[in-house]
Amino acid sequence: MLNATQSDIFRELEKNVPPASVAEPLGPFITSGFGPDSLHFEGRHFELLSTLTSSIAGSALESGGRDRQDVESLVFTAIRIARVDGSTAAIAYVDAELSRPMEDWTVMQSIRGRFHDALVQIGRTTLVRSASELSPNSENAEHWIGRSHEMTYPLLVASVRALDHQSAVRVAEDIFDETLAVLTMASPGWGISRPERIVLGSSPSFGGGKFESYVPHTVDEHGWFGYGVRALERAARKEYSMRTDWEKRSLVAARWYRRALVDTWPSAVLANCMVALESLFVKETHGSKGDKIGDRVSTRFSYPSKTSDELRDWLADLYQGRNNVVHSGGHYLQDTEVEALRQLVYSAVQWASQFLDDVTLHEDGSTGAFLDIDQVLGT
């Protein structure tokens, strides 16, 4: 329900917001509708609308919504109701809409690749190859797929709860992104897309484009991924609040690695890679994170043509490059360096994932998944 402050703001907007005019706007504005029934929010009215919608809207990932644009539409409709039936009726309409409970939504998106027949569940998504595999509550999916020029099988399907359509999409996008991160780790050499390019010069060429696609290398007859990725995928099946510290860190690092793989701008690749390494090797909020990454990675990984000390110094220097990019608007130019770093991050996420497996051996001879960064780093 609207509180007293929100109700006062609504009443002021309902009484004073004018229709759209031909005058040139002097600042930020929003116009809803056309003709005499249109609503034009500018100046103070724009500020009041922003204040009202921000106070009502909610985080999709945290609480299921409400989406801000959905709230704006609600306010627009309520103002039009108020101008016919009065403010009391309009506020009652808003209160009724805001009291609606969360709904169940099914969100689907296409995915390209070659998948083992036994592979059905990936994280919190289901892999659907034909209409016959859709759940009974998705009976209209074929109709919408038929209307789309781009939607084809197979599909990734996520079932979510949210307050409105756009909030459902945002929750599903978070789930899809995590699934694609798992598939990226399971499909070395796949997962990226590139546009077609014509290159003219001393050696003219035509570069064929590449669609984002996935080909998981090791999936058994039960639909489980191979060692390492299996445990990562199993962690992705859990709701965030149910995951251990190391499950959260490993999945986040995999997502940042995928971002680094998709990006072609060296500055973005560098930043993404360093966030992935921070997730796995830094728990402190004080001191030099670059030095910590350098120390902790160099004692656990070897790298061709670099000694342990050289690897440590290389990573520390790269972290300084990351700081320049993120904090000073720098433009990192060493594309060969970030390509090497990207390969190291892939190995680091693989390394991290193995600690999620139930058969991981502890120093005392016992086995079981490691739960947090302290166990993994031995601190």
Side-chain angles (χ1 to χ4, degrees), residues 127-153:
L127 185 64
V128 172
R129 297 167 177 82
S130 67
S132 63
E133 297 178 20
L134 291 168
S135 60
N137 63 348
S138 305
E139 65 273 4
N140 294 324
E142 273 298 283
H143 167 73
W144 293 106
I145 292 171
R147 293 184 58 178
S148 170
H149 296 293
E150 298 181 1
M151 183 77 79
T152 58
Y153 292 103

Side-chain angles (χ1 to χ4, degrees), residues 17-273:
V17 170
S21 70
V22 295
E24 186 73 21
L26 300 178
F29 71 96
I30 293 176
T31 298
S32 170
F34 302 93
D37 291 331
S38 64
L39 303 170
H40 184 75
F41 300 83
E42 186 178 352
R44 173 173 171 76
H45 297 145
F46 180 87
E47 294 175 2
L48 287 174
L49 178 65
S50 298
T51 299
L52 180 59
T53 54
S54 296
S55 68
I56 297 173
S59 165
L61 298 181
E62 206 168 42
S63 59
R66 299 185 181 273
D67 178 67
R68 183 164 178 164
Q69 289 185 338
D70 189 71
V71 174
E72 278 185 356
S73 297
L74 177 63
V75 172
F76 299 157
T77 301
I79 289 175
R80 292 186 173 98
I81 291 173
R83 291 180 175 180
V84 175
D85 299 323
S87 294
T88 301
I91 290 176
Y93 164 76
V94 173
D95 288 344
E97 289 295 308
L98 295 181
S99 64
R100 288 170 56 189
M102 287 204 291
E103 300 178 48
D104 293 320
W105 303 80
T106 301
V107 186
M108 310 177 190
Q109 73 176 38
S110 289
I111 183 170
R112 293 174 181 265
R114 296 197 301 271
F115 304 101
H116 193 290
D117 289 343
L119 187 60
V120 176
Q121 185 173 353
I122 310 170
R124 288 176 286 165
T125 65
T126 303
L127 185 64
V128 172
R129 297 167 177 82
S130 67
S132 63
E133 297 178 20
L134 291 168
S135 60
N137 63 348
S138 305
E139 65 273 4
N140 294 324
E142 273 298 283
H143 167 73
W144 293 106
I145 292 171
R147 293 184 58 178
S148 170
H149 296 293
E150 298 181 1
M151 183 77 79
T152 58
Y153 292 103
L155 303 172
L156 286 179
V157 180
S159 298
V160 302
R161 287 181 60 76
L163 288 167
D164 53 70
H165 163 271
Q166 190 56 44
S167 296
V169 170
R170 286 181 182 156
V171 175
E173 283 175 340
D174 188 59
I175 294 172
F176 290 143
D177 190 71
E178 203 164 69
T179 291
L180 295 179
V182 171
L183 285 172
T184 298
M185 295 305 301
S187 309
W190 297 80
I192 58 175
S193 62
R194 294 288 182 264
E196 293 184 344
R197 292 188 173 98
I198 296 173
V199 182
L200 302 178
S202 58
S203 301
S205 65
F206 174 77
K210 182 178 181 182
F211 289 105
E212 180 180 353
S213 58
Y214 300 89
V215 183
H217 289 185
T218 54
V219 178
D220 66 20
E221 67 275 14
H222 304 294
W224 289 103
F225 291 100
Y227 177 71
V229 178
R230 174 184 299 194
L232 189 70
E233 187 274 331
R234 187 175 59 199
R237 296 189 181 200
K238 299 180 182 179
E239 295 294 331
Y240 184 82
S241 61
M242 301 303 294
R243 295 172 185 170
T244 67
D245 171 69
W246 196 246
E247 286 173 335
K248 293 174 182 176
R249 289 176 179 272
S250 298
L251 283 166
V252 163
R255 293 175 72 164
W256 282 110
Y257 167 71
R258 177 174 174 267
R259 298 282 174 178
L261 195 65
V262 170
D263 268 314
T264 58
W265 182 29
S267 296
V269 176
L270 176 61
N272 293 335
C273 284

